Amino acid sequence: MTHRGEPAPDQRPRRTRALALLGVLAVSAAVATWMEVHYTGGDGGAANAGGSSISQDSFAAPAGGDNASAAPSTLPESASLLPATVEIPAGPGNPNAFQATRYALGSSTNCADVLAPNSPSGVTTSCQGYVTASYVSADHSVVASVTVFGYPDAATARQAKPMFSGAGQNTLYADFRQPGNELPSVTPLSSTEQQRVEQVGRFVTVVQAAAATGAAQTQPGPLNAAQFTLSAQVGDTVLWDE
């Protein structure tokens, strides 16, 4: 009761909302930690997308693509999904951290643009669109290609994921995205190409890494580090965009 004899306002709804908010924040932190451990083995600096707003994107889709500068409605906005810069942390076989910059950002609703003609039907069927870009390390020794494919639901994406590797990790059905006209002299050395495929919700992310042609660094350490970091960064963004 108030001093005027009126009933005191019920504080329970406000208290309930506060507890619900704390619960959401706790779940968010737990999911972020899971993504970090799942993709990077617990390296807290593995998915730091540096805050640079400057990139060398050509915003050109692969040959045959259409609507290159606008991401498909079934996918998150491509520029926000694929960060402009990514910090690759030091780790086993990769003693020095390095930065990678995004190049040749593109998107389309036609997944065939970036898939090999012999891709399994489980990869192509129901694919609703993709966003893709290449990343190049500052010393031009490592090139990575990142493509995110969208499917109608998580079950379809889960079925498609293992088919991207075919009979083994050396089977690459997704095209390796080139840096484009900005860096014509930097191309992936095909003999060192390796890929990492992950499924997050209704999306399948394909990250391919290779030593750059003519680069002195051809050891797998930096390639593995680039793959883990880009997988973590893109996977985390996809998760929160859902």
Side-chain angles (χ1 to χ4, degrees):
M1 300 288 290
T2 66
H3 70 281
R4 295 181 178 179
E6 298 170 351
D10 190 350
Q11 299 298 321
R12 285 175 296 177
R14 182 179 300 175
R15 186 178 301 111
T16 301
R17 287 195 296 270
L19 290 174
L21 178 59
L22 290 175
V24 169
L25 293 176
V27 171
S28 299
V31 173
T33 301
W34 177 87
M35 288 297 299
E36 179 182 328
V37 172
H38 179 69
Y39 285 112
T40 68
D43 186 348
N48 177 22
S52 172
S53 60
I54 301 173
S55 68
Q56 306 298 318
D57 303 323
S58 63
F59 287 91
D66 55 5
N67 196 24
S69 61
S73 60
T74 54
L75 291 169
E77 174 60 39
S78 55
S80 62
L81 178 62
L82 302 176
T85 59
V86 174
E87 297 292 338
I88 311 298
N94 180 43
N96 300 312
F98 61 95
Q99 187 181 80
T101 301
R102 184 186 69 197
Y103 289 81
L105 183 68
S107 63
S108 175
T109 56
N110 185 7
C111 295
D113 292 346
V114 290
L115 288 171
N118 64 334
S119 296
S121 60
V123 167
T124 57
T125 302
S126 300
C127 184
Q128 297 179 316
Y130 69 87
V131 295
T132 186
S134 62
Y135 284 84
V136 181
S137 61
D139 62 359
H140 293 182
S141 65
V142 175
V143 182
S145 177
V146 180
T147 306
V148 181
F149 296 91
Y151 291 89
D153 49 55
T156 306
R158 191 177 304 113
Q159 293 174 352
K161 178 200 168 185
M163 299 182 189
F164 275 92
S165 296
Q169 283 297 100
N170 293 328
T171 304
L172 308 178
Y173 290 122
D175 288 345
F176 200 114
R177 185 71 161 148
Q178 301 288 336
N181 296 330
E182 297 88 354
L183 294 175
S185 61
V186 178
T187 57
L189 185 61
S190 59
S191 62
T192 65
E193 287 183 16
Q194 57 189 53
Q195 75 173 6
R196 180 177 182 83
V197 183
E198 298 288 353
Q199 177 247 329
V200 182
R202 64 185 181 91
F203 300 98
V204 174
T205 65
V206 179
V207 179
Q208 298 164 313
T213 301
Q217 177 59 265
T218 57
Q219 297 301 312
L223 304 185
N224 291 333
Q227 285 184 301
F228 272 94
T229 301
L230 288 167
S231 289
Q233 177 65 50
V234 175
D236 186 61
T237 305
V238 167
L239 178 69
W240 292 112
D241 259 337
E242 272 292 85

